[in-house]
Amino acid sequence: MEYETQVRSGRFMKGFLTGLLTAAILLAGAFGIRYVLELTGGDYTGGLVSEEDVQDKLDKINDVISKYYLYEDEIDTEELVEGIYAGYTASLGDPYTTYYDEEATREFMKSISGEFGGIGATVSKKADEDEILISEIYEESPAEQAGLKEGDVLLQADGHAVSGQDLETVVSWISGEPGTDVELRILRDGEELDVTVTRDVIETKTVEYEMKKEGIGYIRVEEFDKVTYDQFKAALDDLEGQGMNSLIIDLRGNPGGQLTTVTDMLKLFLPEGVIVSTKDKYGNTDEITCDGDHEFKKPLAVLVDGHSASASEIFSAAIQDYGVGTIVGTQTYGKGVVQQTIDLGDGTCMKITISEYYTPSGRSINGTGVTPDVEVKYEYDEDEPEKDNQLEKAIDIVNG
């Protein structure tokens, strides 16, 4: 099996974030920290615990650490403070509600934009080998302009030997601010070459497509980032220009992404009506609708599996409810709740679940997922590893 990592910063779980918790820090106390928590937006303790009780408990924990902790000299006070925020949020027990520190916030904002500072290449290595290869070069990218080629063996990145390193570390050496240079040493046809690449803003490739036999268009969507709509629309237009007779959209393994992106994409397929609706804790409902101007009339199949989540489920459920296409594969993940983003004002952010969404027919799929119209479990074929029985079923369906 070959593992690939795009040359960009680390990825984070997609979602839509918001929050109500604020916190203030007053330096003092036994080893330089005293915490004062301000609970806003509601009394989360239900009146059972006062702010004084919280402060008193933190002071006691602070004193115990100061008096007894063996490695007090190694204490990172900033991490202790961040741990309070992260732990407070995690104690809600909601897997989709999370606090992000400054570094995590920066990386998250990069990931949802679909753009990053890099060279426009993909590095990969086989699980049983130490060699790191440049496995893909983006068109018109800095990597292409610098003369890098697919199959080049990477020896050094930014002065670091890559042998024995994990891909994420190597990627961190190659990625960086647009306009800055990275020095790479590669091995090509037995010859070592030094290549200087100037980093630029690179757009994540979230869409892949091809025309299969008998005029069947195939589009794979990796996730729903800000850049995904334009990539998807370009792929759809190109396939239409090639005389596409039917279409398969592959959402297997797609964890979701931005609500506006998936609903804009659905407007290219649905008739007039509701795309998705949401309901918050107060019973307030919002609807996103489609004007039906671009209803898709050709045979359509959407591939899903247990890792198709969130925005992928919004897409497949809407297609299913309107009968525009056939959902093929296995039961989806079952994430039917919406998150939003809030800037906490100090370079950090938080994600918090704010509402539940409903399909056009009014279904909630939270905790259950979307049941395919045609259930097909993936079967790995050792003799033909590239064989895909789920895709083959989808092809049969769109062929009628």
Side-chain angles (χ1 to χ4, degrees), residues 24 29 80 89 121 171 264 266 275 283 309 339 391 393:
L80 285 178
T89 307
V171 168
D264 284 347
L266 281 166
I275 298 174
Q339 290 76 47
L391 177 58
K393 185 61 177 179

Side-chain angles (χ1 to χ4, degrees), residues 83 101 105 116 122 164 168 210-211 248 292 317 327 334 345 361 383:
D101 62 20
T105 296
F116 56 94
T122 299
E168 291 297 329
E210 64 176 307
M211 182 70 81
I248 296 171
I327 311 304
S361 65
D383 296 327

Side-chain angles (χ1 to χ4, degrees), residues 11-260:
R11 306 303 302 269
F12 292 84
M13 184 179 295
K14 299 294 183 287
F16 313 94
L17 314 179
T18 191
L20 295 173
L21 172 66
T22 64
I25 308 169
L26 178 65
L27 298 182
F31 51 86
I33 292 185
R34 179 180 177 85
Y35 311 98
V36 180
L37 297 183
E38 300 175 353
L39 303 181
T40 65
D43 184 4
Y44 300 130
T45 64
L48 298 178
V49 182
S50 67
E51 291 182 35
E52 291 75 15
D53 290 335
V54 174
Q55 182 64 67
D56 182 60
K57 187 65 171 284
L58 286 171
D59 286 342
K60 289 178 180 178
I61 294 173
N62 191 28
D63 289 340
V64 169
I65 294 173
S66 179
K67 290 178 182 179
Y68 301 109
Y69 185 57
L70 179 62
Y71 305 108
E72 181 182 351
D73 292 342
E74 300 175 14
I75 290 174
D76 187 326
T77 56
E78 289 187 9
E79 285 192 13
L80 285 178
V81 173
E82 293 296 320
I84 291 177
Y85 308 147
Y88 188 89
T89 307
S91 294
L92 292 172
D94 178 7
Y96 310 120
T97 296
T98 308
Y99 167 80
Y100 292 102
D101 62 20
E102 288 188 53
E103 181 179 356
T105 296
R106 286 193 296 270
E107 297 301 328
F108 176 78
M109 294 306 174
K110 290 179 184 178
S111 70
I112 62 174
S113 72
E115 296 180 332
F116 56 94
I119 66 170
T122 299
V123 295
S124 66
K125 70 175 179 178
K126 295 182 178 179
D128 57 348
E129 296 182 8
D130 194 38
E131 189 174 74
I132 294 180
L133 299 174
I134 296 177
S135 56
E136 182 181 10
I137 303 292
Y138 291 11
E139 292 183 6
E140 301 180 357
S141 66
E144 183 182 68
Q145 294 169 3
L148 291 175
K149 297 181 179 180
E150 294 180 6
D152 287 343
V153 179
L154 186 63
L155 302 177
Q156 291 184 11
D158 203 24
H160 304 282
V162 305
S163 178
Q165 299 292 337
D166 61 83
L167 284 177
E168 291 297 329
T169 299
V170 175
V171 168
S172 71
W173 293 335
I174 300 175
S175 302
E177 290 298 316
T180 61
D181 290 340
V182 58
E183 302 291 335
L184 303 179
R185 177 166 293 176
I186 62 169
L187 179 65
R188 181 189 298 163
D189 298 327
E191 180 183 1
E192 291 190 12
L193 303 172
D194 290 319
V195 180
T196 300
V197 188
T198 302
R199 302 179 180 100
D200 202 348
V201 176
I202 306 300
E203 185 176 286
T204 306
K205 290 178 63 175
T206 62
V207 173
E208 296 179 355
Y209 73 99
E210 64 176 307
M211 182 70 81
K212 295 188 176 294
K213 60 183 180 180
E214 300 178 13
I216 300 173
Y218 171 84
I219 304 178
R220 177 171 180 82
V221 183
E222 298 287 346
E223 55 199 26
F224 295 91
D225 291 341
K226 287 183 179 179
V227 299
T228 303
Y229 174 82
D230 287 339
Q231 294 178 8
F232 183 85
K233 182 65 165 59
L236 189 63
D237 289 346
D238 190 15
L239 291 171
E240 290 280 14
Q242 295 182 50
M244 177 179 67
N245 298 318
S246 58
L247 176 63
I248 296 171
I249 299 174
D250 193 344
L251 300 182
R252 291 175 296 179
N254 185 320
Q258 300 202 15
L259 183 62
T260 53

